[in-house]
Amino acid sequence: MKNSVVILLAFFMVSACSEEEERYTPKRYGDLRVSETFPEKKYQETKNIYGANYSLPQYTTLKLKQQNDSICNYQIDFPERRATLYMTLLKLNGDLQEKIEQSNKITHQHLIKADDFRDTLLLYPEKKVYSQVYNLIGNVASNVQFVCTDSTDNLLRGALYFNVAPNYDSLIPAIDYIKEDIYHLIKTLEWQKSEP
């Protein structure tokens, strides 16, 4: 009798452990809840956004913030990811080096809090698109920043921000997903010819 009770108890313990039961971990307030699926990648062309053409995901919205003769500030919102890509397009006036240094200063402010970073050069000389993408690792406000230029007339700068607490481990899937869109934007970037 004792042996059958032990065997029966062992059987119930093994069967209870072997059942695949979903476990839920509650998220802290402010953490992004990343869904298990992301929308399929589908892009649409944008035309002449202050002198630039490129493709954007269909699940984004573009909002113009400020525009004048030398600068255009706008944002690309990813509403399902609670993320915004802030963009600045500058018209150069022989001041490329100065504008690159200003952009690097902004990026380096985030590097102070980063655990590590990787930079990637994306070069498309046939289209005069020369870019550097910074991937910042750690709990920083902006994990992806980039700068693109044609080296003479235009400079485009972008920085990705999430409207949640900067918890890198939770954000990795969303960061990687949007980073593909940023790389696609740079790959499809074409500068509009300046009017004489």
Side-chain angles (χ1 to χ4, degrees):
M1 176 88 173
K2 219 178 198 184
N3 285 342
S4 59
V5 171
V6 171
I7 291 173
L8 190 57
L9 186 58
F11 172 75
F12 284 122
M13 288 176 61
V14 169
S15 65
C17 291
S18 66
E19 285 183 28
E20 294 206 16
E21 188 176 304
E22 286 190 50
R23 299 190 188 275
Y24 296 98
T25 304
K27 298 286 181 192
R28 293 178 300 183
Y29 179 76
D31 280 359
L32 178 67
R33 181 182 176 151
V34 179
S35 67
E36 293 177 10
T37 59
F38 290 93
E40 181 183 345
K41 299 275 185 192
K42 290 183 182 176
Y43 295 96
Q44 59 193 13
E45 285 187 40
T46 63
K47 292 288 184 190
N48 198 15
I49 304 300
Y50 194 67
N53 302 331
Y54 44 78
S55 292
L56 287 178
Q58 290 181 352
Y59 43 82
T60 61
T61 56
L62 188 139
K63 295 178 187 166
L64 181 66
K65 302 305 263 179
Q66 169 198 7
Q67 181 175 353
N68 60 39
D69 290 340
S70 61
I71 189 170
C72 180
N73 289 315
Y74 54 100
Q75 65 188 53
I76 300 167
D77 292 324
F78 296 78
E80 289 184 19
R81 304 292 141 226
R82 291 170 54 188
T84 301
L85 182 61
Y86 292 96
M87 307 278 283
T88 301
L89 184 52
L90 301 167
K91 295 299 180 187
L92 298 174
N93 190 20
D95 55 354
L96 173 64
Q97 190 61 38
E98 178 187 333
K99 298 300 184 191
I100 292 282
E101 286 174 12
Q102 288 174 357
S103 178
N104 286 340
K105 266 186 196 173
I106 295 168
T107 301
H108 287 293
Q109 289 172 354
H110 293 273
L111 281 173
I112 293 168
K113 293 216 174 233
D115 297 330
D116 196 5
F117 80 97
R118 294 182 183 95
D119 62 332
T120 304
L121 292 176
L122 299 174
L123 307 174
Y124 303 99
E126 68 282 358
K127 299 190 304 175
K128 291 190 171 191
V129 175
Y130 310 99
S131 62
Q132 186 168 20
V133 181
Y134 291 95
N135 298 292
L136 285 72
I137 298 164
N139 297 334
V140 296
S142 175
N143 292 97
V144 182
Q145 298 190 23
F146 68 91
V147 63
C148 302
T149 185
D150 60 1
S151 77
T152 54
D153 300 316
N154 302 289
L155 184 133
L156 176 66
R157 183 179 196 292
L160 177 66
Y161 288 84
F162 287 88
N163 188 22
V164 295
N167 184 346
Y168 182 71
D169 291 339
S170 296
L171 292 174
I172 289 173
I175 292 168
D176 289 344
Y177 183 78
I178 295 174
K179 195 175 358 174
E180 288 179 32
D181 296 330
I182 292 170
Y183 283 21
H184 184 81
L185 182 153
I186 295 169
K187 182 179 179 181
T188 58
L189 176 62
E190 292 180 355
W191 308 107
Q192 290 283 81
K193 302 284 187 219
S194 299
E195 297 289 326

